[in-house]
Amino acid sequence: MKKSERLNKELIYLSYRDQFHLKELEDEFNISERTALRDIANLEQIGLNFYVEKGRYGAYHLTKNKLWVPINFNLEEINAIFFALKALNKMTTTPFSNAYQQISHKLMKSLPKNRQDDIKTQQKVVSYHQQPTLHNVKYFKLLIKAASENIVLKMISEQYFKNAELVQVRDVFYQQGNWFSNLYNLDQKKWLITRCDQISFCEITDKSKHELDALYSHFYQKCYSIPYSCELTKLGKEKASLNLYPTMKIEEKNDNIFLTGACNPSELDYLVDYIIGLGAEAKIIYPEKLKSRYIQKIKKILSKY
């Protein structure tokens, strides 16, 4: 392991501890006492704060006057950060949208001039043409908080209910230019997938909450009652992978590729539109009901010509 890499790992290992002994560092990183002492001196120089308790059982006690300690990145890691920031900039709506440019600016200023020139040159020859966010999400931070802390919200969704109702947020996901959320509506006692930009009112309540994982598992088994399978070409696999919904998966068996999953009866027409979008790269294997709806839709399209 390179010294710079070892120092970074030692920083992460030590920065959330109250104290440590020299032997712990030796054992954790398989280094000699002499190397451990040199590393501790280097770590102090780059921001690790501590004082030494002398004596036979003395230890290095870390002081918590800094939330973060500096981390050294190599050129490949720095490139990866800037590439990620550039890609995230296309996704204009996230809780941290305004911070991306600031992060990029701070990182750039912290680099030597020759590194800055390398990064700028590479950034000029790379571009991203993915689907940007189509709509602003007003309550993004609140939705993330509710999902991570299992908080009950009072919400109005223009998509489903015009009056404020109690909901819990299971997760938030990004698909084809829009942010969506899996919600459990406590008033209607049912699950909904709502577009986050369609939420026009949202606030925290102190209402009692449910354990969502068990509820969702029961809902999925009961309501997603129509299993389906479509055979895909290699190109079909690529196309489906670009727009794969949480209830779908791609499987490979005996050199054949399949798109499989289960859908709610009310979603059959939506699934038909999805498969039509794959064109000649997908062939429905089952169920017959899905094949029938697919053929009907194709005939309807052909009738326009």
Side-chain angles (χ1 to χ4, degrees):
M1 184 188 301
K2 293 181 180 178
K3 181 181 177 181
S4 60
E5 184 182 349
R6 186 178 69 248
L7 288 174
N8 277 334
K9 289 187 176 181
E10 287 171 349
L11 272 175
I12 296 168
Y13 174 71
L14 296 174
S15 59
Y16 297 103
R17 297 172 62 119
D18 295 321
Q19 65 178 44
F20 69 96
H21 292 83
L22 193 64
K23 189 69 167 62
E24 292 179 277
L25 209 60
E26 294 171 25
D27 293 343
E28 180 68 23
F29 294 95
N30 194 26
I31 54 178
S32 67
E33 179 180 352
R34 189 174 177 180
T35 300
L37 286 169
R38 283 201 303 265
D39 283 358
I40 289 171
N42 288 325
L43 292 173
E44 185 176 21
Q45 289 176 357
I46 59 177
L48 188 70
N49 295 280
F50 59 84
Y51 64 90
V52 183
E53 180 185 353
K54 297 186 180 298
R56 184 176 180 182
Y57 301 104
Y60 293 85
H61 293 264
L62 299 172
T63 58
K64 301 297 183 180
N65 60 340
K66 281 190 176 183
L67 179 60
W68 295 104
V69 292
I71 304 284
N72 293 318
F73 295 103
N74 60 36
L75 183 58
E76 185 177 355
E77 291 166 336
I78 292 169
N79 283 337
I81 292 170
F82 278 98
F83 273 69
L85 287 170
K86 187 169 183 179
L88 284 169
N89 248 339
K90 292 285 288 184
M91 196 181 292
T92 52
T93 300
T94 75
F96 318 106
S97 300
N98 295 332
Y100 297 145
Q101 200 63 37
Q102 294 174 339
I103 294 170
S104 182
H105 180 73
K106 287 180 180 179
L107 284 174
M108 188 67 77
K109 288 295 183 183
S110 71
L111 298 175
K113 182 67 168 57
N114 63 323
R115 287 283 179 90
Q116 291 187 32
D117 292 340
D118 288 341
I119 295 294
K120 289 175 181 177
T121 299
Q122 292 187 25
Q123 293 284 292
K124 285 178 181 177
V125 299
V126 175
S127 58
Y128 295 86
H129 298 287
Q130 81 250 35
Q131 174 68 62
T133 309
L134 298 175
H135 305 283
N136 183 51
V137 178
K138 184 177 180 181
Y139 296 101
F140 210 127
K141 289 183 180 179
L142 190 52
L143 292 171
I144 298 293
K145 179 179 177 66
S148 59
E149 300 178 21
N150 200 16
I151 295 170
V152 176
L153 301 175
K154 183 180 285 187
M155 177 187 293
I156 294 176
S157 168
E158 300 296 334
Q159 194 174 357
Y160 292 113
F161 40 93
K162 306 295 184 183
N163 297 315
E165 298 190 17
L166 298 178
V167 302
Q168 281 178 254
V169 181
R170 183 175 184 266
D171 55 26
V172 177
F173 62 94
Y174 184 76
Q175 191 90 32
Q176 292 291 294
N178 285 300
W179 285 99
F180 297 87
S181 180
N182 271 304
L183 304 176
Y184 182 68
N185 188 305
L186 281 74
D187 292 319
Q188 300 180 23
K189 291 185 172 53
K190 68 179 184 179
W191 285 91
L192 304 166
I193 297 178
T194 187
R195 259 182 38 193
C196 296
D197 62 284
Q198 294 292 306
I199 298 170
S200 59
F201 170 79
C202 193
E203 68 176 18
I204 293 175
T205 75
D206 57 359
K207 303 295 184 182
S208 58
K209 56 197 176 188
H210 296 278
E211 291 302 322
L212 293 187
D213 286 344
L215 273 173
Y216 188 78
S217 178
H218 175 74
F219 161 75
Y220 186 87
Q221 292 173 10
K222 180 181 177 182
C223 296
Y224 282 72
S225 56
I226 304 177
Y228 60 84
S229 178
C230 301
E231 188 172 358
L232 301 175
T233 64
K234 288 184 179 180
L235 179 57
K237 176 185 176 181
E238 290 182 17
K239 293 175 72 173
S241 297
L242 293 172
N243 186 23
L244 201 65
Y245 285 83
T247 56
M248 298 173 172
K249 61 182 178 179
I250 294 174
E251 300 178 309
E252 296 191 33
K253 299 177 183 177
N254 302 323
D255 296 326
N256 293 317
I257 308 168
F258 300 94
L259 175 71
T260 62
C263 72
N264 188 291
S266 64
E267 296 175 343
L268 269 177
D269 288 332
Y270 184 83
L271 183 57
V272 164
D273 288 339
Y274 178 92
I275 297 170
I276 287 175
L278 300 176
E281 313 306 324
K283 176 184 177 182
I284 299 170
I285 306 301
Y286 64 80
E288 289 299 323
K289 183 183 293 187
L290 181 60
K291 287 184 185 180
S292 176
R293 293 279 188 96
Y294 179 87
I295 292 169
Q296 287 175 16
K297 188 65 178 280
I298 292 294
K299 287 180 177 178
K300 185 175 180 180
I301 294 171
L302 288 172
S303 70
K304 296 180 180 292
Y305 295 92

